[in-house]
Amino acid sequence: MTRVYYKYAVAAIVVFDLSRPPTFEAVLKWVSDIREKVTLNDGRPLPVLLLANKCDIESISIQPEVIKNFCKQHLIDAWFLTSAKEDINIEDAMKWLVGRILEVRSTSQAPRPLSEPLPQKSLQKSQHHFVADEGYGKKLLCW
């Protein structure tokens, strides 16, 4: 996407389909695109929330442990197993995101489009916390 689509963004949500592995494989492309094109005013990356959708169906081919490791490896702020159809974890995910936006806003005025990609070292976080429940339909997040 062009930088215009990210203008004034204060956070990002990336959604993939648990039953379709190619959608999970595309997550890194979307996260990289976001990080290359926009940051907060202070240079920090936008908060990114990953939603693993369709946790209500039986044919899940991507396991929570894989998602957890992916988030840790790629510094994704939080993730939730969700079902838009059954309204599982949607409210919790949005509450987390709004809380994170308010937290970020208290220390940063607004996002800025990038004229050049961020250097890799500026994407790293000082701390990582992980909370996981291995059951489907339950909140699983990392930040």
Side-chain angles (χ1 to χ4, degrees):
M1 295 182 103
T2 66
R3 284 177 175 77
V4 172
Y5 290 105
Y6 297 118
K7 191 174 183 179
Y8 305 118
V10 293
I13 300 172
V14 177
V15 182
F16 73 94
D17 181 338
L18 282 164
S19 66
R20 294 180 48 224
T23 64
F24 181 63
E25 293 162 10
V27 167
L28 185 56
K29 174 197 160 295
W30 286 105
V31 171
S32 297
D33 194 54
I34 292 162
R35 290 184 175 154
E36 288 170 3
K37 293 180 179 168
V38 68
T39 66
L40 299 171
N41 256 1
D42 61 6
R44 291 181 297 163
L46 292 181
V48 175
L49 172 62
L50 180 63
L51 299 182
N53 197 37
K54 296 189 180 178
C55 70
D56 59 310
I57 63 174
E58 301 270 331
S59 60
I60 302 240
S61 58
I62 303 163
Q63 297 304 311
E65 190 66 27
V66 172
I67 303 166
K68 181 177 108 173
N69 291 336
F70 180 86
C71 286
K72 182 177 180 180
Q73 180 182 1
H74 298 287
L75 306 173
I76 294 173
D77 296 274
W79 68 281
F80 290 82
L81 286 171
T82 62
S83 169
K85 179 181 176 185
E86 300 295 329
D87 192 21
I88 297 170
N89 278 337
I90 302 298
E91 186 175 343
D92 288 340
M94 294 308 109
K95 283 181 180 178
W96 179 89
L97 186 62
V98 169
R100 183 72 177 113
I101 290 168
L102 293 173
E103 178 185 324
V104 166
R105 285 225 170 200
S106 70
T107 59
S108 177
Q109 292 294 323
R112 64 174 181 182
L114 287 176
S115 56
E116 296 179 21
L118 280 175
Q120 285 296 337
K121 66 178 184 176
S122 67
L123 295 177
Q124 295 184 3
K125 295 178 179 281
S126 59
Q127 295 182 31
H128 298 285
H129 301 280
F130 298 91
V131 176
D133 182 339
E134 298 303 317
Y136 289 110
K138 296 187 180 175
K139 181 167 52 175
L140 291 139
L141 62 107
C142 59
W143 73 87

